[in-house]
Amino acid sequence: MNSRHHNSKPWAANVDLYRKIPTDLMEGSRQGSIFSYIALALMIILFVAETSDFLGGKLETYLAMDVSGEDKRIRLNFNITMMDLKCDWAVIDIVSALGNTQNVSAHVTKWNVDGSGIRVGYRGRNRNQKDIDLYDSTVSETLEELHENGEDAISLDADSLALYKKEHDYVFVDFYASWCSHCRDLAPTWETLAEVMVDAGEALGNEIPHPDDYSEEDYLRAKRMQMPVVIAKIDCVSHPKVCNEQELIRAYPTLRLFVDGEPWKAGDYRGHRTITDMVEWLYYAEEQHKELLDGGTESVRTLHEAHGAARERLDDHLKEKEDKRWNNRHMDGKRRLHHDWVDEEHPGCQLVGHLLLDRVPGNFHILARSGSHDLAPHMTNVSHQVNSLTVGDPMAVHRVETSYIKNLPEKLTGKIAPMDGNVYVTENLHEAYHHYLKVVPTQVDGLQIGARFLRAYQILPNSQLAYYRTDMVPEAKFVYDLSPIKVFYRKPNRRWYDYCTSIMAIVGGVFTVVGMLESSVEATVKASRRRRVAKGGLR
C-alpha cells in the first residue's frame, strides 16, 4: 500500500492545461513561419484598434426627456443684415406665451450698411427712438382757420415738383398721406411754417410787420436766411408715383429738403417738428450749402446763374418747348426708376447681439416701426441675410463648430448653425420670409469649462414665404419651439476588465484561426504531394 502511495502522482499534477510537447517532436517550417508573422501582424493591428477605441471611443447617441431645467432662459445669438431697411426703423420684438417685449434694446447693436452692402463706421445701440415733438404746440389754429387767408404751403404733384426743384434753390417738402395720424397733427404746424417763410422771404431787406399767427422769435429766425425757402407738400395717396417710384418715400410724414434740385446730403429732417427747430435746421442747411459753394465750387453757382440768365432771354415759345422736353426726359427717368434697382437708394442695417428667450414656444421678429412716422406697407422690404444664428452659450457653439471635441458626429456640427450664410430675398410687395426653428437641447461629453458643463442646441429650420394684407407692414419672423427631448452624445462606459477580456480574445482568437488556416494549408499540400508520388509510382 505504501508502494502504491509512492508510485501515484499528486492530484495537482493531473490537472495540467499546458502539457508540454517534447522539443524533438516539434518541427518548424517556412510555411508556419509565414503564418506566424501574419498572426502577429493581425494581433498588433487589432490590439491598437481596441486600445484606441477604449481610450478615445466614438460618441454614442441617447435620447431622454429634458427634465433638468438647468437653463431658465435660453440665449439666442444672431447677426442678421436687413438688406433694404434703415436702422432708424429696424426694431426687434419678442412674443412668447409668457408675454411680449417690444423694441428689444438690451444686448443689441445696429450698424448702418450702405447700398453696396458695406458696413459703415457708425455704430449705435438699438435704443428707443428719441422722443420728438410731433407738432408745434404753440400753433393753436386749425388748418381750416389758417387757410382762411390763403394757403401758403404749396401743394405739388410730379410735374410741379420737378419745376419747383429746377426753379428754386431750396424746396422743403412734406410727403404725407391723408390716412396718417402724425401727418394730420403736423398739418397746422407745416402751414404756419410756410407762412413764416413766405413773410420772411418778402421781407428780405425790408422791415414789415408780421401777422399774429406765429411768434416774433420764429419770424426773426426766418429772416436770417438770405435765400427764400419754398415750403411745399405732396399727398402721396393722390400722387403715389412721385412718392413710391421717384422719391422712394417709405414713412409718413417725410420732411425732405431739396437743394439745387437734389435731396440735401445731410438727409431728411428728423428733429423736433416745431417751427423754431425746423427754421434753425433750414438756416444751418443754408449756411452749410454756402460754405460748400465758397469752398471751391463757385463754378457750380456761376453755371446755375448763367443758365437762368440764358433762359430769361428765350422767348415764351422756346421756353415752353424746353420745359416740355425736360419733363419728358424726367418722366422717362421715372419709368426706368420703377424697374431698376439703384443701390444707393436702398441702405440696410446689420443687427448684431443676443436675446434671452423664455423656455416656451414663441417668436422674435424684425420689422419696421417708428414712433414718429406711419410706415408705408408697400414700401417696406424685409429681405435679409442670416450671417449667423445660433442658440446657447457662444463658447459651446465655438467648441462644437471647431471640432474641439474629437469624434463629434458630422450631423451635429452641421445643425448647430444651419442657417448661416443664407439669403432670403422677397421679389414682390407684401411678402416676407418666416422661419420655423425646432430647437433641440444637446449634451456632449467633454463639452465643459472646468467644472461647468456647457449645453449646445441643435436647430432644425424650415423657411416659408408669407403673404401680407396690403395694410399690414411685413416682418421677418423667427418662430422657435424648444424640443422636450434631449439628445446625449456620450462615450461608451467600458470597464477595464472588458478591455482586458477583449485583448485576450484577440490573442487567442487570432492564434486559433490562423492555426486552423495553417493546418488546412498543410493538409492540402501533403495531399497534393501524395497524389504526385502515387502518379509517379504508376509510371
Side-chain angles (χ1 to χ4, degrees):
M1 184 162 180
N2 290 334
S3 62
R4 284 199 308 268
H5 177 75
H6 289 293
N7 292 333
S8 62
K9 296 181 179 180
W11 66 272
N14 293 327
V15 182
D16 188 357
L17 301 177
Y18 302 98
R19 297 179 181 273
K20 304 299 186 293
I21 301 176
T23 305
D24 296 340
L25 299 179
M26 300 180 64
E27 178 183 3
S29 65
R30 184 177 181 181
Q31 177 180 295
S33 178
I34 293 174
F35 276 95
S36 297
Y37 281 113
I38 293 175
L40 288 174
L42 288 175
M43 289 180 186
I44 293 174
I45 292 173
L46 295 176
F47 173 80
V48 172
E50 183 68 19
T51 303
S52 176
D53 183 69
F54 177 74
L55 297 178
K58 294 183 178 180
L59 297 178
E60 296 181 352
T61 305
Y62 302 90
L63 300 178
M65 293 294 296
D66 185 18
V67 295
S68 61
E70 297 173 1
D71 301 329
K72 300 300 181 183
R73 310 184 79 183
I74 60 175
R75 169 171 172 158
L76 186 141
N77 315 289
F78 64 91
N79 183 339
I80 300 174
T81 299
M82 305 304 294
M83 304 168 65
D84 193 17
L85 183 62
K86 292 182 179 180
C87 286
D88 295 339
W89 300 328
V91 298
I92 299 177
D93 291 348
I94 300 177
V95 179
S96 71
L98 300 182
N100 303 339
T101 304
Q102 291 189 340
N103 198 10
V104 178
S105 59
H107 316 298
V108 178
T109 303
K110 298 192 292 187
W111 299 81
N112 291 320
V113 178
D114 63 17
S116 302
I118 301 175
R119 191 172 73 178
V120 298
Y122 173 76
R123 179 183 70 178
R125 293 296 300 275
N126 183 22
R127 304 190 186 280
N128 290 329
Q129 290 181 324
K130 181 181 178 180
D131 293 335
I132 64 173
D133 295 332
L134 301 180
Y135 57 91
D136 197 328
S137 59
T138 62
V139 178
S140 58
E141 295 84 356
T142 64
L143 186 62
E144 290 75 14
E145 293 173 346
L146 292 171
H147 283 172
E148 289 178 357
N149 59 351
E151 186 174 348
D152 293 294
I154 304 172
S155 297
L156 302 177
D157 56 17
D159 296 329
S160 56
L161 173 62
L163 184 62
Y164 267 80
K165 289 195 298 184
K166 187 176 182 181
E167 297 294 338
H168 297 272
D169 294 307
Y170 304 101
V171 182
F172 197 22
V173 183
D174 172 19
F175 294 91
Y176 70 96
S178 55
W179 49 261
C180 169
S181 59
H182 297 304
C183 301
R184 291 194 294 268
D185 293 338
L186 178 64
T189 301
W190 193 254
E191 178 64 23
T192 305
L193 173 65
E195 186 175 347
V196 171
M197 299 309 298
V198 168
D199 293 344
E202 293 177 352
L204 286 177
N206 302 314
E207 291 295 335
I208 60 175
H210 68 85
D212 297 330
D213 295 341
Y214 48 85
S215 66
E216 179 74 21
E217 180 185 3
D218 295 336
Y219 179 70
L220 294 177
R221 289 176 183 272
K223 282 191 62 177
R224 292 184 302 169
M225 303 187 65
Q226 300 179 10
M227 297 292 292
V229 178
V230 176
I231 305 300
K233 58 186 178 181
I234 294 181
D235 186 351
C236 292
V237 176
S238 303
H239 307 286
K241 288 188 176 180
V242 66
C243 296
N244 301 339
E245 300 177 14
Q246 180 179 335
E247 300 299 335
L248 298 178
I249 302 301
R250 304 188 181 191
Y252 307 115
T254 294
L255 309 181
R256 181 168 296 174
L257 175 65
F258 294 93
V259 179
D260 288 338
E262 298 293 334
W264 178 232
K265 296 180 180 180
D268 299 335
Y269 179 75
R270 295 186 177 87
H272 293 290
R273 296 171 187 168
T274 62
I275 296 176
T276 300
D277 285 281
M278 288 189 286
V279 170
E280 282 294 321
W281 184 78
L282 290 172
Y283 176 74
Y284 171 78
E286 185 184 61
E287 292 296 314
Q288 290 291 103
H289 185 224
K290 288 168 54 180
E291 290 179 7
L292 292 176
L293 294 177
D294 296 338
T297 59
E298 193 64 33
S299 58
V300 176
R301 171 62 68 178
T302 303
L303 180 63
H304 178 74
E305 292 176 349
H307 178 70
R311 281 185 53 83
E312 292 178 356
R313 291 193 296 267
L314 294 174
D315 55 39
D316 294 339
H317 175 70
L318 294 179
K319 184 183 296 185
E320 181 180 356
K321 184 177 180 181
E322 183 183 358
D323 287 341
K324 183 177 180 180
R325 184 172 64 253
W326 188 91
N327 285 331
N328 290 338
R329 185 167 63 251
H330 175 68
M331 295 302 294
D332 290 340
K334 281 175 54 180
R335 284 191 288 269
R336 288 195 301 270
L337 182 63
H338 179 70
H339 297 286
D340 297 340
W341 178 281
V342 181
D343 288 339
E344 291 75 10
E345 298 172 350
H346 298 271
C349 182
Q350 184 176 4
L351 301 157
V352 183
H354 68 270
L355 305 174
L356 297 177
L357 308 176
D358 296 316
R359 294 178 61 89
V360 294
N363 70 80
F364 76 94
H365 44 269
I366 304 174
L367 70 159
R369 186 173 62 236
S370 172
S372 55
H373 297 83
D374 287 335
L375 301 179
H378 64 280
M379 294 298 291
T380 303
N381 183 2
V382 289
S383 298
H384 55 279
Q385 175 176 343
V386 180
N387 304 308
S388 176
L389 182 67
T390 59
V391 179
D393 193 312
M395 182 59 68
V397 174
H398 175 73
R399 293 198 171 192
V400 172
E401 290 184 333
T402 57
S403 299
Y404 177 83
I405 301 175
K406 297 181 179 180
N407 300 322
L408 276 178
E410 293 183 1
K411 62 181 181 180
L412 173 61
T413 57
K415 292 179 180 178
I416 292 296
M419 300 181 67
D420 287 10
N422 291 355
V423 180
Y424 303 92
V425 178
T426 55
E427 300 291 343
N428 302 309
L429 302 178
H430 309 293
E431 294 180 351
Y433 274 95
H434 290 184
H435 310 283
Y436 301 89
L437 313 177
K438 191 69 173 182
V439 182
V440 182
T442 304
Q443 191 75 47
V444 182
D445 276 356
L447 189 61
Q448 62 186 88
I449 300 178
R452 183 168 69 95
F453 288 91
L454 303 177
R455 176 181 292 193
Y457 292 87
Q458 301 182 60
I459 300 177
L460 306 178
N462 180 24
S463 301
Q464 298 179 359
L465 188 62
Y467 302 93
Y468 285 78
R469 297 200 313 265
T470 56
D471 59 340
M472 295 181 62
V473 177
E475 56 190 20
K477 182 178 291 186
F478 296 79
V479 182
Y480 57 87
D481 183 16
L482 196 64
S483 172
I485 303 299
K486 184 177 181 180
V487 180
F488 293 87
Y489 289 95
R490 293 178 176 175
K491 295 179 181 178
N493 189 16
R494 295 185 60 186
R495 303 291 184 178
W496 63 269
Y497 47 79
D498 292 334
Y499 169 71
C500 294
T501 302
S502 299
I503 296 300
M504 294 178 185
I506 288 173
V507 174
V510 171
F511 181 82
T512 301
V513 172
V514 174
M516 294 172 60
L517 291 175
E518 193 276 337
S519 299
S520 300
V521 171
E522 178 66 20
T524 303
V525 171
K526 288 182 178 180
S528 177
R529 288 176 181 174
R530 286 196 296 269
R531 285 196 297 271
R532 286 199 298 269
V533 172
K535 289 180 181 180
L538 293 176
R539 292 178 183 176

